[in-house]
Amino acid sequence: MAGPGDPPEGTPEGASAGGEDEYRSVVFDESFVRAARLQEYSAQERMTDHTPAVRRRPPLHRGLSRQALLLVLLIALAFGTAIYMGVRNPYQNSATRRPVEPLRMTVIPLSPQGAVPGAADTEALFAHSPAAQFRVGAEGIPLPASRRTTHFSDSQVVTALTTAKEYLVRSSLYPDVLIGQEVQPVRGLIDAAQLDQFDESFSNPTADGRHAPTGWLVRFDPARTELADRKIRVQGTLTAAETDSSTLEVTADHTFVYALRPAGADVKAPASLFTVRRELHFRFDRDDLRTHQTQLIVAYVQAGPLSCAEDPTNHLRPLLAGQTAKAGGPAGTDPYATGGATALCGSLATSAQPRV
């Protein structure tokens, strides 16, 4: 029996009950028609000389959507920015870095008031001198207990102190620097902005308070002097302080005592002691802390026994055992005692010499 909407004779054979529903999923919208690769000619076109009933259409070239293009541009911009920032210093804008000051240096020779004491036994020399209780080498430069500052962490303060100590070791204790005329161990710790001044000091030494090699390091004239004992005695202090939100400063005040004899002399020849007091002021910004380098701002050096007639700019030329020199200052200066600056040439106090 037929339904209410069916033809009286029922559904034709071969046709579905819902005929319209059979083709409902097939939608020939405008975009579908435009995308078709085959297109039927119109009636007017078929009346002409065209033989085929259809023609092949060229494929459509779909471009990137505006949103996709914008995304690609943003990714390219981000990638370029990352490369640019990687090439530049990622820690600090160099344009805002505090200008690096040149090193200001003072080297004061201390002249003995009599003959320089000497002895073949270097241990006896040290034992009878004010350096008797000094430690040997780097042990005489202990790091102080460090504390973080307002703008610098514990580790950054330790880095500054450690770098300053390393500078003292390389510039005051390395035999190749003291006698061998090597400078690279010291140069490697200098901030890049001071390298021109450092290099000029060694290529063209000048007593102008800016370009004396002996302001940067301790070195003796190898043609005249050699180490009689490599156990250099040292005593002094290191202190660190924050000067502003971007700068740490370390002050080093140390006395170094060397046993020396004439170059090429027999090992049994008398040796003498030579004392160098170095007060150095180091400055560190965040770049220096990262690279483990430093800016040396002030170097104040007293050294003796020296003759005031000798220029201490390029090398230190100590007076050795038995040698004498005219007094070079109004009063004796003791490099073991704290105090203010002396004249450009001072007298070495008798108390600073070993009692032999």
Side-chain angles (χ1 to χ4, degrees):
M1 181 175 178
D6 293 335
E9 296 81 5
T11 303
E13 184 179 358
S16 64
E20 294 181 1
D21 291 340
E22 182 178 358
Y23 300 99
R24 186 169 295 172
S25 62
V26 181
V27 179
F28 297 98
D29 59 8
E30 185 178 355
S31 62
F32 178 86
V33 174
R34 286 200 305 268
R37 299 295 303 274
L38 297 177
Q39 183 181 33
E40 184 180 4
Y41 286 104
S42 66
Q44 181 65 35
E45 289 173 324
R46 290 199 299 271
M47 294 175 63
T48 62
D49 296 334
H50 292 287
T51 302
V54 296
R55 59 183 173 188
R56 183 176 296 274
R57 298 180 64 184
L60 293 177
H61 296 283
R62 294 181 178 272
L64 288 174
S65 68
R66 181 175 300 177
Q67 292 84 353
L69 182 59
L70 180 59
L71 179 61
V72 171
L73 290 176
L74 287 175
I75 293 173
L77 180 61
F79 186 73
T81 302
I83 294 177
Y84 176 76
M85 294 303 294
V87 172
R88 291 179 62 83
N89 187 340
Y91 294 92
Q92 183 175 4
N93 188 341
S94 59
T96 63
R97 190 188 187 196
R98 178 178 179 175
V100 176
E101 298 179 12
L103 169 61
R104 306 186 307 276
M105 59 184 72
T106 303
V107 181
I108 300 174
L110 302 179
S111 179
Q113 300 182 43
V116 176
D121 184 356
T122 58
E123 291 292 336
L125 279 175
F126 284 118
H128 292 88
S129 77
Q133 304 302 318
F134 285 15
R135 295 183 180 180
V136 175
E139 292 183 359
I141 315 174
L143 295 180
S146 60
R147 294 181 179 178
R148 62 173 297 133
T149 65
T150 303
H151 298 95
F152 292 90
S153 66
D154 287 331
S155 63
Q156 289 175 316
V157 175
V158 170
T159 296
L161 289 167
T162 303
T163 304
K165 175 178 178 174
E166 184 64 20
Y167 186 94
L168 289 167
V169 170
R170 296 188 187 188
S171 64
S172 309
L173 300 177
Y174 273 23
D176 288 344
V177 172
L178 298 172
I179 301 295
Q181 309 305 293
E182 286 289 333
V183 301
Q184 189 57 41
V186 180
R187 189 180 188 275
L189 293 175
I190 297 294
D191 185 290
Q194 285 189 318
L195 289 180
D196 287 344
Q197 182 188 8
F198 183 92
D199 293 339
E200 180 68 17
S201 298
F202 290 89
S203 63
N204 185 28
T206 308
D208 60 355
R210 293 289 189 274
H211 299 93
T214 50
W216 296 97
L217 48 82
V218 177
R219 71 172 183 171
F220 304 107
D221 185 348
R224 299 172 59 172
T225 309
E226 67 181 35
L227 291 173
D229 189 340
R230 295 203 171 199
K231 296 179 180 178
I232 301 163
R233 274 42 173 196
V234 187
Q235 180 170 285
T237 59
L238 284 170
T239 57
E242 176 182 315
T243 57
D244 57 48
S245 61
S246 61
T247 309
L248 278 174
E249 288 194 1
V250 174
T251 300
D253 190 351
H254 292 79
T255 299
F256 301 84
V257 186
Y258 307 86
L260 305 175
R261 65 166 56 98
D266 187 89
V267 294
K268 296 182 179 180
S272 60
L273 299 186
F274 185 79
T275 304
V276 179
R277 180 179 170 191
R278 305 181 77 196
E279 182 178 336
L280 306 180
H281 294 251
F282 302 94
R283 181 173 293 164
F284 299 85
D285 59 22
R286 298 184 189 280
D287 274 353
D288 295 318
L289 295 173
R290 178 175 56 84
T291 60
H292 293 268
Q293 294 178 319
T294 185
Q295 307 165 37
L296 185 57
I297 304 303
V298 175
Y300 175 70
V301 180
Q302 297 175 332
L306 288 171
S307 172
C308 292
E310 294 280 2
D311 181 7
T313 299
N314 194 18
H315 294 93
L316 298 175
R317 297 183 173 90
L319 292 169
L320 302 174
Q323 295 180 337
T324 60
K326 293 181 179 180
T333 300
D334 186 349
Y336 291 90
T338 60
T342 67
L344 293 181
C345 185
S347 293
L348 184 65
T350 303
S351 61
Q353 296 275 45
R355 300 180 303 277
V356 294

